[in-house]
Amino acid sequence: MKESLTHFSKEQIFTVGDAAAMAEELVSNSYKMSASQWLWHRYDVKTLADLAPGEIVEGPFAQIVRYRGQKSETSLGSSSYDFYKICLMDHTILSALESDRDLRLFPFALYILCHELIHIVRFAKFLQSFHASQEEKMAEENRVHQKTREVLNSVRVPGKEALFAFYKAWEAPMDAAIASQ
């Protein structure tokens, strides 16, 4: 299945890498976290080429998978930690870029990565449970979209207006879903 899906090109991988570096800086500044505090939040960003079949989903642009990690030289469960993998869905991102010619990869990837990093910070700070109810997950998505917009409002990024217009269409269904519950 993975082989039949569209992957990022080498050039697109570099663009996504630049977006990841900027997203980490923006989110760490927003939450007033130092570089050493970021290391505490063990995570990695992977594109479709590096995902296991069970990490690939249809629909979302990315997903976070949580794993339990433990140093090999320790045997106590108290030394375990959460490891988060941000799984980018190249095929879904590229499809959205193809459908909406106003979107550009860098700002789109920046938004997606800021969004996922905000989730990780909120999980790590116990502001949100990773295993929340569906209703709470919808409310959390709305909060994280609002925080992502707030973080990105502070920077100049060419293509940001088209990006915000794209996500405005996504916010309305979330608002309606939350109001109806």
Side-chain angles (χ1 to χ4, degrees):
M1 172 186 148
K2 181 164 96 169
E3 291 74 27
S4 66
L5 299 173
T6 309
H7 290 62
F8 289 134
S9 68
K10 270 190 175 179
E11 183 180 303
Q12 291 168 328
I13 293 285
F14 288 124
T15 301
V16 170
D18 289 345
M22 186 173 182
E24 183 173 311
E25 186 174 327
L26 290 171
V27 173
S28 66
N29 287 345
S30 178
Y31 282 95
K32 302 186 180 11
M33 298 168 64
S34 68
S36 62
Q37 288 173 310
W38 263 115
L39 294 176
W40 183 77
H41 301 290
R42 295 173 170 98
Y43 74 92
D44 201 359
V45 178
K46 296 293 183 183
T47 62
L48 187 60
D50 296 316
L51 299 181
E55 295 170 333
I56 300 169
V57 294
E58 285 300 320
F61 301 120
Q63 76 164 336
I64 298 174
V65 179
R66 184 176 76 170
Y67 295 101
R68 297 296 297 166
Q70 186 170 347
K71 293 181 179 177
S72 59
E73 66 272 5
T74 61
S75 61
L76 297 175
S78 62
S79 65
S80 66
Y81 58 89
D82 289 334
F83 177 81
Y84 298 97
K85 186 188 278 190
I86 298 173
C87 303
L88 295 177
M89 303 299 137
D90 307 19
H91 57 292
T92 308
I93 294 168
L94 292 170
S95 177
L97 291 171
E98 192 174 302
S99 297
D100 189 331
R101 295 292 183 180
D102 292 331
L103 285 179
R104 299 288 174 253
L105 180 58
F106 181 82
F108 195 33
L110 180 63
Y111 188 101
I112 293 165
L113 290 161
C114 280
H115 182 94
E116 300 306 334
L117 288 171
I118 290 167
H119 275 302
I120 291 172
V121 169
R122 291 182 55 78
F123 296 147
K125 290 182 172 260
F126 302 104
L127 298 171
Q128 178 63 39
S129 170
F130 190 82
H131 298 291
S133 68
Q134 193 59 36
E135 180 179 330
E136 182 53 34
K137 284 180 182 180
M138 289 298 293
E140 177 66 1
E141 277 301 309
N142 203 25
R143 285 188 289 269
V144 172
H145 274 292
Q146 289 172 353
K147 181 67 175 177
T148 304
R149 182 181 280 271
E150 176 187 311
V151 166
L152 292 179
N153 266 331
S154 68
V155 295
R156 280 194 193 161
V157 176
K160 184 171 70 172
E161 284 65 33
L163 175 72
F164 283 171
F166 174 81
Y167 272 105
K168 190 66 178 163
W170 288 78
E171 291 171 15
M174 274 193 278
D175 292 341
I178 291 167
S180 70
Q181 294 183 9

